[in-house]
Amino acid sequence: MNEELRALYQEVIIDHGRHPRNFKKLEEPSCCQEGYNPLCGDRLTLYLKVDHNKIIDASFEGVGCAISMASTSLMIERIKNIPIIEAQQLFEAFHLLVTEPSPTVKTLEYLGKLTVLGGVRDFPTRIKCATLGWHALKAGLDNAASEQRVSTE
Amino acid sequence: MSLISSFPIMSSSCNPAQNTIDWTALRSDFPLLSQQAHNKQLAYLDNAATTQKPNAVIEAIAHYYRVDNANVHRGVYELSERATQSYEATRNKVQNFLNAWSREEIIFVRGATEAINLVAQSYARPALKPGDEILISAMEHHSNIVPWQMVCKKTGAQLAIIPINDSAEIMLERYQQLLNEKTRLVAVTHVSNALGSINPVQQMITMAHEKEIPVLLDGAQAAAHLSVDVQALDCDFYTFSSHKAYGPTGVGVLYGKKRHLDAMEPYQGGGDMISSVRFEHTEYNSLPYKFEAGTPNIAGVVGFGAALDYLSAVGFDNIVQREQQLLDYATLKLQAISGLHIIGRAKNKASIISFVLDCAHSHDISTILDHQGVAIRAGHHCAMPVMERFNVPATARASMAFYNNEADIDQLVRGLAQVFKLFS
Ligand SMILES: Cc1ncc(COP(=O)(O)O)c(C=O)c1O
């Protein structure tokens, strides 16, 4: 198997793709956000529990390829118990990771384990798979933020 | 006549009638196929999406632009006459190809999609009333679903769906029940792009006509793979795309019975489709020009003509036989793989195989195969209701043309072994 493919399908990705973590419905989520890629039919629902601008729990369900499943699974591990604002920064950094030809060392260090998805860069048709869960996160957080604003005002 | 002399199968020592075609020599008529992909010989198995083009087609288009280019139906100078002749010659070829009664029944459009939209807007829309039904099948491509939904929305008519069984065959007894006094049109695919099923269209047309219901056949996946005789079928409309029949993109055909086309309003207005224009009143041109507004895709139509010549030189008896051979070979090889499931097991099938693996999603399969030089399609194949029917999010699909060979299929099987290695 060639280098690029190996870089794409690293152990961690195969593992999370096959056994996604936090793969369940969340009871009483603050929001549940659909993510859908009409091109390939990948579909997932992201559940978020937010309290005082912090993500206190998250999970997901859905069907998709190894890349979208693994990427979402790894994302959720990382975003639990962090402030919303930091999750939004992670979204930006992750986007750079999968689209920029050479992300900075700072970005890579910041992303940590999530850098295993960097191999997607060489597969333009698969970038959408890697970012599906992340786009659901962004939309979900935007919704949660506006709902909180509504409920606290 | 440079086209004919550069026509390799004519010059090679083959005799179509006796099936002594040298398929290997014929493959070399398609220059794209000789390239490498990811340092492997390319195995192009996505022919249901689009087919590759033989030299004869590529040269016909180049020749047209080098020598014959002018606008059609307008100039009185020789060049324009030549362009018009080449363009109109293809119309005769299509007439022969489909065995249509008249060349006036052949309308050039952009593709099967536009042909269906034309019928939806110009034939169905003015006639439909609330409560009327259009009958389609559960295995349609989106382009034979959405245009009907659009006219239904405008008119209050409804879509009714002919169910398919677990082998991906039309359920004829249910079809019989669904044909009723509200049915205004049956629109079904001749061959399913996602499942490969060849539908019993002859029988379906007879059944519809018994109740005086007209039938449109979406021939996008059929026209290049089996011989079509619209008079024998007695279909009211037939649609297909040049690019899936070894011709260029941007050209398609709507065949319609003359009496339907005569009664229909034009689809678009503009030049070429009129016989006289005054601000008070415009006379429409006669068939087929009434439906061909504006400067058409002349070079495309000329190239399409060369594709039809190519197809008829190979001959449908040979094409059908060779593609069935490839289908049988591929089916045998694929069904021997444990953990692989073929979706679409119709008895009567074209050379299209959709499949899923227990261990990997079709998207991952296709990425890994791509790196083995194998081009297949992954996804819902513009037939999301089919995916729902078979309860899969997506499938991988290998679709073969006569220029494919057993080695391509072996390469696919070897590629799948890599998928298993990685995912199980
Ligand atoms: C069964 C079927 N119908 C219609 C179409 C639409 O053809 P086009 O995109 O060339 O208009 C396709 C193309 O995939 C098809 O497979």
Side-chain angles (χ1 to χ4, degrees):
Chain A
M1 189 150 308
N2 82 357
E3 298 268 316
E4 272 181 2
L5 266 187
R6 258 188 219 296
L8 180 65
Y9 290 108
Q10 298 188 35
E11 290 281 317
V12 184
I13 291 179
I14 301 278
D15 175 36
H16 277 256
R18 198 178 298 148
H19 311 289
R21 321 294 196 267
N22 299 292
F23 194 72
K24 60 180 181 206
K25 198 172 180 152
L26 209 59
E27 295 305 322
E28 297 175 32
S30 321
C31 86
C32 67
Q33 181 66 44
E34 281 255 329
Y36 178 53
N37 182 351
L39 262 176
C40 56
D42 284 7
R43 188 188 287 277
L44 58 85
T45 310
L46 179 70
Y47 302 94
L48 296 171
K49 196 172 273 185
V50 177
D51 189 31
H52 289 92
N53 293 318
K54 196 171 162 188
I55 301 170
I56 55 169
D57 204 359
S59 70
F60 80 115
E61 291 179 308
V63 284
C65 62
I67 307 294
S68 67
M69 291 290 108
S71 176
T72 310
S73 173
L74 288 162
M75 173 189 85
I76 288 176
E77 280 192 336
R78 177 68 184 266
I79 60 165
K80 276 191 183 185
N81 292 308
I82 65 170
I84 287 181
I85 188 150
E86 199 185 323
Q88 283 162 336
Q89 280 164 5
L90 271 173
F91 173 90
E92 301 300 337
F94 186 80
H95 202 73
L96 289 179
L97 172 77
V98 295
T99 54
E100 289 285 310
S102 40
T104 62
V105 176
K106 211 168 129 231
T107 304
L108 295 176
E109 277 174 1
Y110 177 55
L111 287 168
K113 192 176 174 186
L114 295 172
T115 53
V116 294
L117 284 147
V120 167
R121 223 178 289 125
D122 298 317
F123 295 80
T125 57
R126 306 304 300 278
I127 290 171
K128 282 213 165 88
C129 308
T131 54
L132 182 63
W134 287 89
H135 281 287
L137 173 69
K138 189 167 192 293
L141 291 178
D142 289 349
N143 290 345
S146 65
E147 266 166 40
Q148 260 198 353
R149 225 175 297 126
V150 173
S151 61
T152 51
E153 269 169 13
Chain B
M1 287 287 97
S2 62
L3 287 181
I4 298 298
S5 59
S6 68
F7 207 37
I9 42 172
M10 305 292 280
S11 55
S12 71
S13 61
C14 72
N15 180 351
Q18 289 171 24
N19 189 28
T20 50
I21 293 216
D22 180 351
W23 296 105
T24 309
L26 189 136
R27 183 173 168 120
S28 65
D29 291 344
F30 295 78
L32 183 140
L33 295 174
S34 63
Q35 72 187 276
Q36 303 232 315
H38 296 283
N39 298 318
K40 308 256 172 22
Q41 169 58 43
L42 171 68
Y44 182 77
L45 294 170
D46 195 15
N47 294 286
T50 198
T51 51
Q52 300 306 338
K53 321 306 171 197
N55 282 319
V57 168
I58 298 165
E59 280 160 22
I61 294 168
H63 176 90
Y64 170 78
Y65 278 127
R66 286 215 179 89
V67 182
D68 292 335
N69 179 52
N71 211 327
V72 290
H73 305 142
R74 309 170 190 207
V76 288
Y77 46 91
E78 190 197 332
L79 201 54
S80 171
E81 256 169 49
R82 231 167 39 223
T84 305
Q85 264 170 22
S86 308
Y87 179 81
E88 291 300 330
T90 300
R91 202 185 304 277
N92 294 352
K93 290 173 189 176
V94 177
Q95 183 199 345
N96 284 332
F97 186 74
L98 295 177
N99 191 31
W101 173 70
S102 156
R103 65 189 310 279
E104 297 182 334
E105 298 177 318
I106 307 302
I107 316 289
F108 288 125
V109 290
R110 272 193 307 132
T113 302
E114 188 174 46
I116 297 169
N117 276 279
L118 195 164
V119 177
Q121 293 300 326
S122 294
Y123 177 80
R125 190 172 165 182
L128 290 175
K129 288 187 273 311
D132 285 351
E133 288 181 358
I134 292 174
L135 194 50
I136 65 173
S137 86
M139 62 168 97
E140 299 309 317
H141 186 278
H142 294 163
S143 63
N144 198 28
I145 303 174
V146 185
W148 307 117
Q149 286 175 325
M150 288 165 69
V151 292
C152 284
K153 209 167 155 188
K154 295 280 182 200
T155 60
Q158 283 173 342
L159 270 189
I161 314 297
I162 313 160
I164 57 179
N165 64 20
D166 291 343
S167 307
E169 293 164 334
I170 297 262
M171 297 171 76
L172 284 173
E173 61 297 351
R174 296 291 298 281
Y175 170 61
Q176 181 68 60
Q177 292 158 2
L178 284 162
L179 289 167
N180 64 41
E181 66 286 351
K182 289 180 291 182
T183 315
R184 292 288 159 269
L185 180 74
V186 173
V188 289
T189 194
H190 194 168
V191 171
S192 157
N193 68 312
L195 300 160
S197 320
I198 302 176
N199 287 322
V201 290
Q202 183 85 67
Q203 195 179 350
M204 292 177 77
I205 291 166
T206 306
M207 286 161 76
H209 282 181
E210 272 164 15
K211 304 200 167 174
E212 288 174 20
I213 301 163
V215 179
L216 173 144
L217 292 184
D218 171 1
Q221 295 296 341
H225 303 283
L226 39 93
S227 104
V228 175
D229 181 334
V230 290
Q231 288 191 83
L233 285 168
D234 198 29
C235 58
D236 295 85
F237 297 102
Y238 198 92
T239 66
F240 71 105
S241 297
S242 144
H243 75 94
K244 293 184 198 284
Y246 312 99
T249 52
V251 177
V253 169
L254 168 65
Y255 158 83
K257 281 184 182 167
K258 187 170 184 306
R259 67 183 165 90
H260 293 314
L261 296 174
D262 272 335
M264 283 157 61
E265 288 283 305
Y267 177 51
Q268 293 176 334
D272 237 25
M273 55 75 71
I274 48 84
S275 60
S276 81
V277 175
R278 287 159 60 214
F279 285 120
E280 303 77 45
H281 179 69
T282 289
E283 289 282 331
Y284 300 139
N285 204 338
S286 56
L287 284 178
Y289 311 106
K290 183 170 88 170
F291 293 105
E292 294 180 6
T295 300
N297 183 353
I298 309 167
V301 167
V302 171
F304 179 37
L308 294 175
D309 287 343
Y310 191 92
L311 270 171
S312 59
V314 183
F316 272 108
D317 288 348
N318 296 319
I319 291 173
V320 168
Q321 197 185 34
R322 179 62 181 148
E323 291 182 353
Q324 282 297 319
Q325 250 172 18
L326 292 170
L327 175 68
D328 292 346
Y329 184 83
T331 306
L332 211 64
K333 289 269 169 170
L334 290 179
Q335 71 190 7
I337 300 174
S338 87
L340 182 150
H341 309 279
I342 294 177
I343 308 286
R345 309 294 312 234
K347 275 184 225 73
N348 205 3
K349 239 183 112 164
S351 50
I352 294 174
I353 304 183
S354 251
F355 62 92
V356 292
L357 297 187
D358 289 335
C359 69
H361 185 278
S362 67
H363 229 170
D364 298 313
I365 300 172
S366 138
T367 293
I368 293 161
L369 289 179
D370 176 39
H371 276 252
Q372 316 297 319
V374 181
I376 59 146
R377 178 85 179 270
H380 54 59
H381 318 297
C382 296
M384 290 169 75
V386 172
M387 300 298 115
E388 219 167 284
R389 167 65 180 78
F390 289 94
N391 209 10
V392 291
T395 72
R397 180 189 69 187
S399 51
M400 292 152 287
F402 55 74
Y403 50 55
N404 287 120
N405 54 33
E406 284 75 3
D408 292 334
I409 295 159
D410 292 343
Q411 200 172 330
L412 165 67
V413 171
R414 280 199 305 276
L416 287 172
Q418 292 288 329
V419 179
F420 279 99
K421 207 158 125 192
L422 200 58
F423 281 90
S424 51

